[in-house]
Amino acid sequence: MSTEPDKVMSFTDHLQELRTRLKYALISVVVTMIIAYAFSDVLFVWLAQLLIAAWHAADLGTPKLHFANPIEPFFTYIKISLLGGIFLSAPVLFYQLWAFIAPGLYRREKKYAIPFAMVSALFFVGGACFGYFVVFPLGFQFFLGFAQLDMGSMHDVLGGALSVSMKETFQIQPTLMMSEYLALVWRLLLGFGLIFELPLLIFFLTMAGVVTVGALWRFNRYFIIVAFVISAALTPPDVVTQVFMAGPLVILYNLSILVAFIVQRKKKEPDEAAPAPEE
């Protein structure tokens, strides 16, 4: 069995290959975006369902999303269609990624192209579903809960050391914009989709011998900081949302160490089973 890649590509060949893969990826996103646009109103209602549930839980009356100018709803629907197109074309996008790096792989490794694309897409969609079904309800209820505060009616602050009372109270009322809400949902769905690719990434890095279980375990304590840095880049600037993303990311990293341990052990088995050379 050959231990060398099938062919060596020049820098120009790599650029041409990158151009080809980007072209196919763009075509797939455009096609699926057009399909998603036909259902953009349904997608928008679906994305807003958890917000509406949190709105009712906070007893804020009739749910409302505002727009600041006449073209904002149209561009919001375009962005929704793009988001839907990215998720619909996820298998194609990950296949193009694999096809780009395939020339540098061994022949036996290239057979994983379709499984890689399907599993990557599954993890990507699974991460978005985790964000939607687990994080969104908790996050929306927490943030809209501020609207239930009766400001100005505080008494016995600091355990009675300070008493505050006002003649007239006021409430905090949310004014949510369509584009800003979608921007929040967009960043969170894509963010959770990407971080759920971590086990798969470490799986292939371990297969390639780039990382080891020992190195991953030693880096564990530092990865907590890395997780919060990544979360800060992918989420709005608030601690609660960052914790919601950083927590699963740390858990996924530790699960990835277990995956790396299994892969590394499987790689050692053929070497141990091989006969020792004769003297």
Side-chain angles (χ1 to χ4, degrees):
M1 183 180 296
S2 174
T3 58
E4 297 292 336
D6 288 349
K7 60 179 180 179
V8 178
M9 298 177 64
S10 66
F11 179 73
T12 304
D13 292 334
H14 277 294
L15 289 180
Q16 181 62 36
E17 183 70 15
L18 177 61
R19 178 185 175 186
T20 301
R21 297 307 161 190
L22 287 176
K23 179 182 69 175
Y24 290 146
L26 180 60
I27 291 174
S28 68
V29 171
V30 170
V31 172
T32 51
M33 179 182 173
I34 294 173
I35 297 173
Y37 185 78
F39 304 94
S40 55
D41 53 345
V42 177
L43 292 175
F44 186 75
V45 171
W46 182 70
L47 291 174
Q49 285 301 305
L50 298 178
L51 175 67
I52 293 172
W55 192 290
H56 286 306
D59 195 20
L60 299 175
T62 303
K64 295 180 181 179
L65 283 174
H66 303 265
F67 55 92
N69 56 70
I71 63 174
E72 184 175 329
F74 172 73
F75 281 107
T76 299
Y77 275 45
I78 293 294
K79 293 176 182 177
I80 290 173
S81 304
L82 177 58
L83 181 64
I86 291 174
F87 280 97
L88 286 175
S89 62
V92 178
L93 296 178
F94 284 109
Y95 178 82
Q96 297 305 320
L97 174 62
W98 182 267
F100 175 68
I101 64 176
L105 300 176
Y106 301 132
R107 185 174 302 175
R108 66 179 183 275
E109 295 171 336
K110 295 181 180 180
K111 65 182 180 180
Y112 296 118
I114 294 180
F116 169 81
M118 299 308 297
V119 174
S120 298
L122 182 63
F123 277 42
F124 185 64
V125 175
C129 289
F130 175 83
Y132 181 83
F133 290 107
V134 178
V135 177
F136 282 18
L138 297 175
F140 291 158
Q141 290 179 19
F142 174 81
F143 292 120
L144 289 181
F146 285 98
Q148 296 175 314
L149 298 178
D150 189 12
M151 307 301 293
S153 61
M154 299 176 289
H155 296 278
D156 297 332
V157 182
L158 298 177
L162 176 63
S163 179
V164 179
S165 181
M166 297 180 63
K167 294 181 179 180
E168 188 173 347
T169 63
F170 62 95
Q171 290 185 327
I172 303 174
Q173 290 291 331
T175 301
L176 304 181
M177 309 302 293
M178 290 180 65
S179 59
E180 293 179 358
Y181 173 70
L182 180 62
L184 172 66
V185 170
W186 175 287
R187 292 174 65 181
L188 290 177
L189 289 180
L190 291 182
F192 278 104
L194 290 175
I195 67 173
F196 268 63
E197 296 295 324
L198 181 62
L200 197 62
L201 174 63
I202 291 183
F203 169 80
F204 282 103
L205 290 178
T206 307
M207 285 282 293
V210 177
V211 298
T212 63
V213 176
L216 291 171
W217 181 254
R218 288 190 297 271
F219 189 71
N220 200 352
R221 68 184 74 178
Y222 305 107
F223 186 79
I224 298 176
I225 300 175
V226 174
F228 276 94
V229 171
I230 294 174
S231 301
L234 296 177
T235 63
D238 63 86
V239 177
V240 176
T241 311
Q242 292 174 14
V243 170
F244 282 156
M245 180 171 286
L249 189 54
V250 173
I251 295 174
L252 285 171
Y253 181 80
N254 283 273
L255 289 176
S256 301
I257 295 177
L258 177 61
V259 171
F261 173 77
I262 296 174
V263 172
Q264 193 167 300
R265 190 170 183 179
K266 290 291 184 181
K267 289 179 63 178
K268 287 182 178 179
E269 288 179 357
D271 297 335
E272 294 174 354
E278 296 182 1
E279 296 183 1

